[in-house]
Amino acid sequence: MDQKCNLESKEGVKTKGKKLKIRIDSEDSAEANVISAERTIQVNSILTILSESIEKLKISLILPRLLENACILKKVLDKTKYSQCVKLIEDYIDEGQDEKDETPNYLNYRLIKIIDFFHINTNILELLPNWVNELDHNDTSMLKAFKLLHWITDQRLNKSALEELKKEKKIHELFHENEKFKKNIEEFKHQLKSQKINLRWKLAAKEGVIKSHEQNMALKKALNDQRIKEEMAKTSRSVRQIYTASLGKQRELDEELRLTKMNYERLVNENIKQERNARAEKNKLLLQLEALIKRFDQSIGEKMREKMTLEEEYSKQKKLFDEFMIIFREKEAEYEITVVQKEQEEREQQERKVSFFIMNRAARIIQRHFRKYRKAKKRLEKEFQKRQKRRARKLA
């Protein structure tokens, strides 16, 4: 029993300890949630302050242009909830025109009132023209600096402790990797040093080989020069021989040229004589041709006259022929009528003969068959009588 009581008491203590731990954890989480909520509120408030500052800066930068273009501002803000701004600007402009003594802008309460109005109503930028993009370099750089400050603040404040730990861990890993890279670089330097030494030895060996090759090349060059000189001497001798031979050949060619010139002149003279003879023959033939043409023209004239007379005779004969053809056609028509009548008569006569022949032939055939019929009838009657007699005899 005592043991059971001790066990129950121990279990009760354990359960109480667990409950206490759960309560402590819940309290810690609640405190952490409260802290995180407070931090987010603070971060959001800082970011809103920065964003409002950027909007106010935009308004402040374009404010001189707004004051210069009051007409455009009046058109844009007319019949909106920001229309009272136009009245403030007009009052400021009228006051500036009326007052002769120049007071500094930071003491002008109307200007301060306008600035306060725009700083309070930053949403007015949505209605205004896009003058922010038309700012000069200094203003845009200042605006970019504020935007960069907003971005950096957002990045820094929104980072949690875990992200910072991860970042430090990443930096630590990068440090170790950098150390490894340094070791590798040292190793590569040693390798490069050894490779440079090897290259120096190789270059020295190459220089020795190159020197030996240069000596061989110098020797070969001297031999080639000697050979070239010998070849030049040979070629000069052969050139002299060729020159002497060409002189002899040139003399022969000059003699041939002289002979060909003489032959050419002789042929030219002969051709001139032949051309003269040919021209004389041509002129003679032309005269004959002209005479023939004249004779042909005369004969053609006679033939044309004969043709005209023949055409007249032809027209007369044709006229007579046409008259004859008219009479011929009349006679031909009469002849055709008589021929048709005669053919019709002959056809009728032929038809009568044919019908008469058919009737005679049919009559002869009928008579012949009738005779056969009578003979057959008589024979049958005789046979019938004989049968009657036989039958009577049998009956008797």
Side-chain angles (χ1 to χ4, degrees):
M1 291 292 288
D2 294 331
Q3 288 177 357
K4 286 180 180 179
C5 290
N6 290 326
L7 289 169
E8 287 175 358
S9 62
K10 286 178 182 178
E11 288 176 357
V13 170
K14 285 180 181 178
T15 52
K16 286 179 182 178
K18 286 180 181 179
K19 288 179 181 178
L20 287 169
K21 284 181 181 179
I22 291 164
R23 285 175 185 173
I24 290 163
D25 292 335
S26 62
E27 287 175 358
D28 292 337
S29 62
E31 288 177 359
N33 290 327
V34 170
I35 291 165
S36 62
E38 289 178 357
R39 191 170 184 280
T40 52
I41 290 164
Q42 290 174 358
V43 168
N44 290 329
S45 63
I46 291 165
L47 293 174
T48 51
I49 289 164
L50 285 171
S51 59
E52 286 176 359
S53 300
I54 290 166
E55 296 297 322
K56 289 177 182 179
L57 180 64
K58 288 179 182 178
I59 289 286
S60 300
L61 291 173
I62 64 170
L63 188 61
R65 193 161 184 177
L66 291 172
L67 296 173
E68 290 174 0
N69 300 307
C71 297
I72 297 169
L73 189 66
K74 187 176 181 180
K75 288 179 182 178
V76 172
L77 300 179
D78 193 16
K79 296 179 181 179
T80 60
K81 62 181 180 179
Y82 308 114
S83 58
Q84 59 180 348
C85 173
V86 179
K87 183 71 170 60
L88 294 173
I89 292 169
E90 288 177 353
D91 293 339
Y92 171 72
I93 292 167
D94 294 335
E95 185 181 359
Q97 290 176 357
D98 293 337
E99 291 181 357
K100 293 181 180 179
D101 54 341
E102 294 181 357
T103 56
N105 288 326
Y106 62 87
L107 296 176
N108 194 338
Y109 77 97
R110 292 186 184 278
L111 182 60
I112 293 166
K113 199 172 181 181
I114 291 166
I115 293 166
D116 291 337
F117 179 82
F118 279 113
H119 283 177
I120 292 164
N121 300 303
T122 54
N123 293 327
I124 201 169
L125 282 170
E126 296 175 358
L127 301 173
L128 295 175
N130 196 8
W131 288 335
V132 177
N133 294 329
E134 297 176 3
L135 296 171
D136 59 357
H137 180 69
N138 294 325
D139 294 339
T140 52
S141 61
M142 185 168 65
L143 189 61
K144 286 179 182 177
F146 268 85
K147 288 180 180 179
L148 181 63
L149 178 63
H150 183 276
W151 182 78
I152 291 166
T153 307
D154 188 11
Q155 293 292 321
R156 292 295 176 89
L157 293 176
N158 285 323
K159 281 184 180 178
S160 62
L162 290 172
E163 289 178 354
E164 290 292 332
L165 288 171
K166 287 179 182 178
K167 188 176 179 181
E168 288 180 1
K169 189 177 179 181
K170 186 71 176 176
I171 291 165
H172 190 67
E173 289 175 356
L174 290 171
F175 174 74
H176 285 294
E177 287 180 0
N178 192 14
E179 292 295 325
K180 287 180 183 178
F181 280 125
K182 285 180 180 179
K183 288 179 182 179
N184 292 328
I185 288 163
E186 291 295 329
E187 290 177 359
F188 286 133
K189 282 181 179 178
H190 288 300
Q191 290 177 3
L192 282 170
K193 194 173 182 181
S194 62
Q195 286 179 1
K196 283 180 181 179
I197 293 165
N198 291 326
L199 284 171
R200 284 175 186 172
W201 283 106
K202 287 179 181 179
L203 287 170
K206 284 182 180 179
E207 285 177 358
V209 173
I210 288 165
K211 284 180 181 178
S212 64
H213 283 302
E214 285 178 352
Q215 290 175 359
N216 292 327
M217 285 177 69
L219 181 61
K220 288 180 179 179
K221 188 177 180 182
L223 293 171
N224 287 328
D225 291 337
Q226 184 66 29
R227 194 178 297 165
I228 287 163
K229 287 178 181 177
E230 291 175 356
E231 290 292 330
M232 286 175 70
K234 287 180 183 178
T235 51
S236 61
R237 284 196 297 272
S238 62
V239 165
R240 283 195 293 272
Q241 291 174 1
I242 291 164
Y243 179 70
T244 54
S246 65
L247 286 173
K249 189 71 175 176
Q250 189 173 1
R251 291 192 193 96
E252 291 177 359
L253 291 171
D254 290 336
E255 185 65 24
E256 288 180 1
L257 180 64
R258 187 177 63 77
L259 293 172
T260 51
K261 280 183 178 179
M262 290 172 66
N263 292 325
Y264 175 72
E265 289 175 356
R266 182 172 55 77
L267 288 170
V268 167
N269 293 324
E270 289 177 357
N271 289 328
I272 289 167
K273 289 178 182 178
Q274 290 177 1
E275 187 178 358
R276 286 173 184 170
N277 295 327
R279 282 182 181 175
E281 188 69 24
K282 181 183 176 183
N283 293 326
K284 185 178 178 181
L285 292 171
L286 286 171
L287 292 170
Q288 291 177 0
L289 181 64
E290 287 176 357
L292 289 171
I293 288 167
K294 287 179 181 178
R295 197 182 302 163
F296 176 74
D297 291 336
Q298 291 174 0
S299 63
I300 284 293
E302 292 175 357
K303 295 292 182 184
M304 288 293 289
R305 285 192 291 274
E306 288 179 3
K307 182 186 176 185
M308 290 172 70
T309 54
L310 289 171
E311 284 179 352
E312 290 176 357
E313 187 67 26
Y314 170 74
S315 61
K316 290 177 182 178
Q317 293 295 329
K318 188 178 180 184
K319 190 175 181 181
L320 294 171
F321 178 74
D322 292 336
E323 292 174 356
F324 172 75
M325 284 300 292
I326 292 165
I327 297 165
F328 174 75
R329 287 192 187 96
E330 291 175 355
K331 296 294 182 183
E332 189 178 9
E334 292 175 358
Y335 173 75
E336 286 177 356
I337 291 165
T338 54
V339 167
V340 169
Q341 289 176 356
K342 191 172 182 180
E343 285 179 354
Q344 191 172 1
E345 289 175 357
E346 288 177 355
R347 195 182 299 113
E348 289 175 356
Q349 190 177 0
Q350 187 72 21
E351 286 176 358
R352 283 196 297 272
K353 286 180 180 179
V354 169
S355 61
F356 181 73
F357 173 74
I358 290 166
M359 288 171 67
N360 288 331
R361 192 167 181 277
R364 283 197 298 273
I365 291 166
I366 290 165
Q367 287 174 2
R368 188 168 57 249
H369 284 288
F370 184 72
R371 288 191 199 100
K372 287 180 181 179
Y373 171 72
R374 279 196 306 176
K375 286 179 181 178
K377 188 177 179 182
K378 286 178 181 180
R379 190 174 60 252
L380 289 171
E381 286 177 353
K382 285 179 180 179
E383 287 179 358
F384 182 72
Q385 288 175 3
K386 285 178 181 180
R387 286 177 184 173
Q388 289 290 333
K389 286 177 180 180
R390 286 175 189 169
R391 195 177 291 169
R393 286 174 187 173
K394 285 179 181 180
L395 291 171

